[in-house]
Amino acid sequence: MALQSPTAGGTDASAATALYLYGVTWADVARPQPGAGVHGESVEAVPYRELAGLTSAVESTKVPAKRRDLLRHAEVLGTALVHGTVLPLRFGVVFENGTTLVEDFLLPRYAELTQLLRKFEGRVELSVKAFFREEAILAEVVRANPRITRLREATRAASDASTYPLRVELGERVAAELQERTLRDRQALLDRLSRLAVDVQVDQQPIEHQVLGASFLVERERVALFDDAMNELAQEQAERMHFKYLGPLAPHSFVGLTAEAR
Amino acid sequence: MAIATHGTASNYLQRAPSPSGLADVVELILDKGLVIDAYVRIAVIGIELITIDARIVIASVDTYLRFAEAVNRLDLTQTEAAGLAELRDGGGDGKAKGMVEGAKDALSGEGDRKKERAKRG
């Protein structure tokens, strides 16, 4: 294990380099990741007591949020998670150098960061999204609601001005039915999955046909159980929903620092 | 601490180990995670160049007309099995693929299954 000093990477400290921070982990599980960082730079650990910041050199303090570098940021955290618990940072946190990283962040936040790392020890984030299949859910809505069935029959033949008010009413009623089904099915999915998790964060932003967008904090040893539950749901709901299932991730949705007291 | 991908014989849905789509990575990396006090966080530029393909539902006449059109396009004889399969085991063969999502679905476990496109009107 090569824990590097703050000015690692052989770069001249006087050059206009800065230090990009991916996350914070325990120093004893921090591993360098050659060439894996933003702009292809190597990821090195900057240790402070039991903590280590995972960093790489960047040329400027302005880091463009390019697709490739966003993915690298995620991948660096994913690799770090294989070795141990990691607190993920949002994209784009840059320090002047290793000294400021320690003095401005790791040292003043030492107690809080170690506490957070302990809290997330052995736990990972799993991201779940469920979407209605449009044709299936619309067919369901048409069959379930007699008024919608009739409006559909009345407007099917002609989509001209004569049916405009009826089409608006039809669409409005369909939207209301979809909303009701979204809320009902979201709760049903949450009821099935939440009991396997330590914590859950539900995305409230309405996205068309998205039934559920949620992150679950799950003990590593229960991930297989969670997989089984997801497989059951995907199978049961195959006709009307499809799923996106992502993880294990560092606890992006669950980390937070208290506002600085000053 | 192993992060083996869970694999069973009845694997209906594959868990993806890391985000691969732009929308997922943006959500994970730009919207979530630790934020440090503003004075150490230096500007990230270029975020405005990123487009996210999430569609926000806005209750408007346009949305209603779009739904009305989608409902009117449905061929209910094709999707009968799907419609009745609500919240119980599937088994019908009328697997209807969402019309609106499309590109966003790439990460879902659908690659494992045979997709049958419902006939469109």
Side-chain angles (χ1 to χ4, degrees):
Chain A
M1 175 168 42
L3 293 180
Q4 301 283 338
S5 68
T7 49
T11 45
D12 181 358
S14 67
T17 57
L19 212 54
Y20 184 94
L21 182 63
Y22 301 86
V24 177
T25 186
W26 296 117
D28 62 352
V29 296
R31 300 279 186 282
Q33 298 182 35
V38 166
H39 304 152
E41 293 288 334
S42 292
V43 177
E44 310 280 359
V46 173
Y48 172 73
R49 298 173 71 178
E50 308 98 298
L51 300 177
L54 295 171
T55 67
S56 66
V58 280
E59 278 180 18
S60 151
T61 53
K62 291 195 189 303
V63 182
K66 288 185 179 158
R67 176 197 186 97
R68 194 163 178 195
D69 287 328
L70 288 169
L71 287 168
R72 279 174 172 146
H73 181 112
E75 284 159 11
V76 165
L77 290 169
T79 303
L81 187 68
V82 175
H83 302 297
T85 309
V86 57
L87 306 175
L89 264 80
R90 206 169 285 204
F91 185 91
V93 176
V94 175
F95 289 83
E96 284 169 35
N97 53 48
T99 307
T100 55
L101 165 57
V102 170
E103 289 178 355
D104 290 351
F105 183 50
L106 297 181
L107 187 155
R109 294 288 187 165
Y110 172 78
E112 198 175 353
L113 291 169
T114 50
Q115 201 174 7
L116 273 178
L117 276 170
R118 282 194 203 101
K119 176 184 168 187
F120 292 111
E121 200 74 63
R123 295 171 172 176
V124 293
E125 176 170 332
L126 300 175
S127 161
V128 173
K129 288 185 179 178
F131 301 90
F132 282 134
R133 297 183 190 279
E134 183 169 275
E135 288 186 29
I137 198 67
L138 290 180
E140 202 176 299
V141 161
V142 170
R143 289 202 179 82
N145 186 316
R147 177 74 186 159
I148 288 176
T149 310
R150 281 197 298 277
L151 282 166
R152 177 175 177 267
E153 280 157 13
T155 59
R156 255 197 125 183
S159 60
D160 54 26
S162 68
T163 60
Y164 181 85
L166 292 180
R167 281 184 286 125
V168 172
E169 188 195 339
L170 170 61
E172 192 172 358
R173 285 175 185 271
V174 167
E177 280 278 350
L178 284 177
Q179 174 67 3
E180 194 187 311
R181 273 154 212 272
T182 298
L183 295 179
R184 188 193 66 194
D185 288 3
R186 175 180 302 163
Q187 196 52 53
L189 294 175
L190 281 172
D191 288 347
R192 292 270 290 269
L193 296 172
S194 295
R195 59 187 165 207
L196 298 170
V198 179
D199 200 358
V200 58
Q201 288 282 334
V202 182
D203 182 7
Q204 301 295 347
Q205 187 188 36
I207 293 173
E208 187 160 288
H209 298 323
Q210 181 172 301
V211 183
L212 175 69
S215 292
F216 297 85
L217 187 67
V218 178
E219 303 281 355
R220 278 185 196 261
E221 64 255 36
R222 304 198 83 181
V223 168
L225 282 176
F226 205 93
D227 285 349
D228 292 343
M230 284 300 298
N231 267 297
E232 273 175 39
L233 284 172
Q235 198 160 3
E236 282 174 26
Q237 298 293 317
E239 300 290 341
R240 56 201 292 278
M241 286 185 202
H242 65 92
F243 292 83
K244 287 166 90 167
Y245 182 30
L246 189 62
L249 302 165
H252 297 263
S253 306
F254 301 95
V255 289
L257 292 172
T258 56
E260 189 155 22
R262 16 175 93 199
Chain B
M1 218 44 66
I3 306 189
T5 304
H6 184 58
T8 62
S10 61
N11 220 345
Y12 222 74
L13 178 71
Q14 196 68 43
R15 172 158 47 78
S18 61
S20 56
L22 189 58
D24 292 325
V25 83
V26 164
E27 185 182 297
L28 198 66
I29 302 303
L30 287 181
D31 292 350
K32 295 172 175 177
L34 284 182
V35 191
I36 304 178
D37 309 290
Y39 79 97
V40 269
R41 189 169 198 247
I42 320 248
V44 174
I45 54 173
I47 291 176
E48 69 282 357
L49 300 176
I50 291 170
T51 56
I52 306 173
D53 60 348
R55 287 162 193 269
I56 311 300
V57 178
I58 299 161
S60 69
V61 168
D62 282 350
T63 313
Y64 298 154
L65 290 174
R66 198 161 48 78
F67 278 142
E69 194 195 328
V71 160
N72 280 333
R73 264 200 319 261
L74 282 181
D75 182 348
L76 290 185
T77 56
Q78 274 291 316
T79 52
E80 189 105 34
L84 298 174
E86 182 186 353
L87 282 174
R88 54 180 178 79
D89 277 18
D93 49 11
K95 288 190 173 60
K97 172 81 177 76
M99 291 183 288
V100 176
E101 272 124 33
K104 249 200 119 188
D105 308 348
L107 252 189
S108 73
E110 289 185 299
D112 293 340
R113 296 189 298 109
K114 291 191 181 74
K115 268 186 292 180
E116 293 176 45
R117 299 192 149 247
K119 198 200 286 180
R120 310 231 170 112

